Amino acid sequence: MFPIQRLRWHDVLTLVLGYVLFDWASYIHPLYGLNITVWNPAPAFGLLFLLRFGRKAIPPLALAIFLADAWVRNLPISLLVSTALALLLAVGYWAIAEALRHRLATSGIFSDRRGLLEWTGIITLGTLLNSVAYVTLLSLGSLIPEGAVQTSIVRYWIGDCVGALVSMPLFWMLLDESGRAHLRAMVLTWESVGYLAATAFTLWVAFGIGAGADFKYFYVLFLPVVWAAARQGLAGAVLSAAIVQLGIIGSVQLMGFTAVTVLEIQALAAALALFGFFIGIVVDDKQRVSAELRQTLRLAAAGEMAGALAHELNQPLTALSAYGTACEQLLERGETGERLREAIRRMIAESFRAADVVRRLRDFFRTGATRLESIPLNELLASVASPFEKKASQQGIELSVAPGAPVALFVDRLQIEVVLRNLLSNAFEAVAAQDPSNRRVQVSAHPEAGGWICIRVEDSGPGLSGAAATRAFEAFQSSKANGLGLGLVISRAIVEAHGGHLWADVADHGLFRLVLPTEGITFDGS
């Protein structure tokens, strides 16, 4: 349920002045001099205040309606009748606002497709009931001829309904601080100039060329709304739909269309706006899901990188422990010279090394940043395979690392080790079900043309079919009972960030290939 806020004096002033000004601006094609017009955005403005402030906004809204009748239309009716009409409308709009309050999220008018449908349904039905009650009271007061009641209801309903559907989301954004910031950021772009230009062109096509052809080119007005919605989501659709609506009203006024024609155009304008809102919501949902997926992948990478972190920290922490023990022994022997200072310097260096590992991991999780460094290929392969040697011995797996070319890779060591460890871990699981005499995992590296190196991780497992090789790199596709199906997805993302490629071969045994560019530095193999 949408929460009720405190009504302050400047809110009252904004409501009264805003309602009267919008009522004056939209007083076109009035029926019998009443506020029965083909476009009426003022109620949308009032609905927002009723939605925000509840029944406390009824008196100022009724005052605004009364002042609009007196100043804009100068109706020849008694004070009592004018007051009754104003109260009737204010209470009717409050009923619509209460229905909306119980269905809307606290973050906005609608935030998903279901919310859009519910909001549209409440506005459509609520304005219809309000129109019936209002026109009926006008008819009882002899302000509308008896035979024109149905026409008056339809016209008043179309004006209120379209005005609310098109204008209410924009008013919401204008009255909301975060909404205003979003609109400012969106308006201050060259793309917004493109929206205006596209809107002007489509209005010319629809009302210039299409005016003599029963407006069969009206559909072109969907283009700027769809463009804005696809590029900037719901906010773009709201702004573009409002601009198109203003363009339509301006065009029909300049061209002197009849009220009946304007009613038909307004019905199309409502469909246009709702279509744009729907696309905008879908685009926002897609962006939100993409952002959540990226965050999920980054958090899931923590599990994949835990082994790399443990391995990287193991060496400096072990060294710190050794140097600390050495310092204790030196102190016990009364050593205060160079040997003690050297041990302390090495402790400091190892602590910096451990802190650097943690910092690099933190940066990767936060921003995906990499720290490239030159690493000898054979040193990298040996470092990755080392933690698996004990496991291979325990499980009866023959693990072999073939010597690679004496070259260096220019990579983020921590991240590439994550990839290789993930591939080795998968290979170990693939051969676990094989006969003990047929459990082999091999790591090798071969140079390729153009300064590339291909690292192969092979196993004696059953291998992958064509479909399985494709699905292996899809998110949440895993053959493991406790797997998330993200390891290979993350690994490929890391490799591609390094300018390389990672894929699985279709073969009778497991085979993954990792291709990375070399730095071009040759080592002596020592």
Side-chain angles (χ1 to χ4, degrees):
M1 181 185 293
F2 196 87
I4 295 178
Q5 302 177 19
R6 177 188 175 190
L7 182 66
R8 292 162 295 188
W9 67 268
H10 60 83
D11 297 316
V12 173
L13 186 61
T14 302
L15 169 58
V16 173
L17 292 179
Y19 188 96
V20 173
L21 288 175
F22 284 122
D23 191 78
W24 168 79
S26 62
Y27 191 55
I28 59 175
H29 290 295
L31 190 65
Y32 308 118
L34 302 166
N35 63 336
I36 302 176
T37 63
V38 292
W39 177 55
N40 193 13
F45 193 73
L47 279 172
L48 282 182
F49 280 83
L50 291 167
L51 187 61
R52 285 174 175 268
F53 305 111
R55 67 170 63 94
K56 292 177 290 186
I58 294 178
L61 178 59
L63 174 63
I65 297 172
F66 177 85
L67 293 176
D69 282 337
W71 178 61
V72 177
R73 285 168 287 278
N74 193 23
L75 295 179
I77 55 178
S78 66
L79 179 63
L80 180 62
V81 174
S82 182
T83 303
L85 291 173
L87 285 174
L88 174 67
L89 284 179
V91 172
Y93 294 140
W94 171 76
I96 297 174
E98 285 300 298
L100 290 173
R101 184 193 316 283
H102 287 79
R103 304 304 303 175
L104 299 183
T106 59
S107 58
I109 292 184
F110 44 79
S111 56
D112 53 27
R113 283 165 282 185
R114 179 178 177 180
L116 173 62
L117 292 175
E118 291 180 346
W119 173 77
T120 302
I122 292 172
I123 292 293
T124 302
L125 181 61
T127 52
L128 175 60
L129 296 177
N130 212 34
S131 301
V132 171
Y134 181 67
V135 172
T136 299
L137 185 59
L138 290 176
S139 177
L140 292 175
S142 300
L143 296 174
I144 294 179
E146 185 175 345
V149 173
Q150 183 175 351
T151 301
S152 302
I153 290 175
V154 171
R155 186 176 298 189
Y156 190 78
W157 174 48
I158 292 293
D160 267 23
C161 183
V162 175
L165 291 177
V166 177
S167 305
M168 193 173 177
L170 181 62
F171 289 155
W172 176 273
M173 295 185 72
L174 291 173
L175 292 174
D176 182 71
E177 184 175 350
S178 61
R180 287 196 301 270
H182 197 165
L183 281 177
R184 279 196 301 269
M186 187 171 55
V187 169
L188 298 177
T189 61
W190 285 108
E191 199 164 15
S192 296
V193 178
Y195 299 154
L196 290 173
T199 302
F201 176 74
T202 53
L203 285 170
W204 173 74
V205 172
F207 292 97
I209 300 175
D214 296 327
F215 302 101
K216 66 179 182 180
Y217 299 129
F218 188 87
Y219 64 86
V220 299
L221 290 173
F222 283 80
L223 297 179
V225 178
V226 171
W227 179 20
R231 292 290 298 168
Q232 296 177 324
L234 181 59
V238 167
L239 181 60
S240 183
I243 293 173
V244 169
Q245 173 69 23
L246 291 174
I248 290 173
I249 296 302
S251 299
V252 299
Q253 284 294 94
L254 289 173
M255 301 181 73
F257 291 149
T258 63
V260 175
T261 303
V262 177
L263 282 175
E264 296 173 351
I265 294 175
Q266 284 293 81
L268 293 172
L272 181 152
L274 293 176
F275 181 72
F277 296 164
F278 183 84
I279 293 178
I281 289 174
V282 171
V283 171
D284 285 348
D285 283 343
K286 180 182 177 181
Q287 293 175 346
R288 183 164 51 249
V289 169
S290 296
E292 291 174 354
L293 179 59
R294 285 194 298 270
Q295 181 65 15
T296 300
L297 290 174
R298 188 168 293 166
L299 292 175
E304 301 294 335
M305 298 190 77
L309 178 63
H311 176 72
E312 288 287 330
L313 289 178
N314 181 62
Q315 293 181 358
L317 292 179
T318 301
L320 277 172
S321 177
Y323 289 135
T325 302
C327 287
E328 285 184 342
Q329 294 174 353
L330 290 172
L331 288 173
E332 287 176 358
R333 294 203 299 262
E335 175 69 45
T336 59
E338 183 60 28
R339 294 179 63 187
L340 178 61
R341 285 193 290 271
E342 178 62 21
I344 293 174
R345 279 196 295 268
R346 292 189 178 186
M347 287 182 64
I348 294 173
E350 293 298 333
S351 68
F352 283 154
R353 179 181 170 188
D356 184 58
V357 170
V358 174
R359 182 168 56 253
R360 286 163 58 191
L361 190 63
R362 179 200 62 196
D363 292 342
F364 175 75
F365 288 144
R366 286 183 177 178
T367 64
T370 59
R371 177 182 171 182
L372 303 179
E373 57 182 317
S374 177
I375 305 172
L377 173 62
N378 289 327
E379 178 186 320
L380 177 66
L381 297 182
S383 173
V384 169
S386 176
F388 289 88
E389 292 176 352
K390 182 179 181 180
K391 184 177 181 181
S393 176
Q394 293 173 341
Q395 298 181 4
I397 299 173
E398 181 186 339
L399 173 62
S400 62
V401 180
V407 297
L409 302 178
F410 196 58
V411 296
D412 186 303
R413 180 173 189 147
L414 189 62
Q415 294 183 25
I416 296 301
E417 284 190 353
V418 166
V419 175
L420 292 172
R421 283 197 177 91
N422 184 58
L423 296 179
L424 279 172
S425 178
N426 289 343
F428 269 58
E429 292 187 7
V431 301
Q434 300 295 103
D435 186 86
S437 63
N438 188 32
R439 296 177 182 174
R440 295 186 302 276
V441 175
Q442 182 180 17
V443 181
S444 60
H446 308 281
E448 294 192 347
W452 297 81
I453 199 77
C454 178
I455 302 175
R456 297 159 55 101
V457 179
E458 299 181 72
D459 62 72
S460 58
L464 297 174
S465 64
T470 301
R471 289 196 305 270
F473 292 95
E474 295 178 0
F476 309 112
Q477 297 290 329
S478 178
S479 59
K480 307 174 187 176
N482 60 346
L484 289 175
L486 294 173
L488 289 175
V489 177
I490 296 168
S491 295
R492 173 173 277 182
I494 291 174
V495 172
E496 290 178 348
H498 284 76
H501 306 281
L502 173 64
W503 72 93
D505 275 14
V506 178
D508 59 357
H509 64 286
L511 175 56
F512 281 83
R513 297 177 190 263
L514 166 60
V515 176
L516 290 168
T518 62
E519 189 187 26
I521 301 177
T522 302
F523 290 81
D524 59 8
S526 58

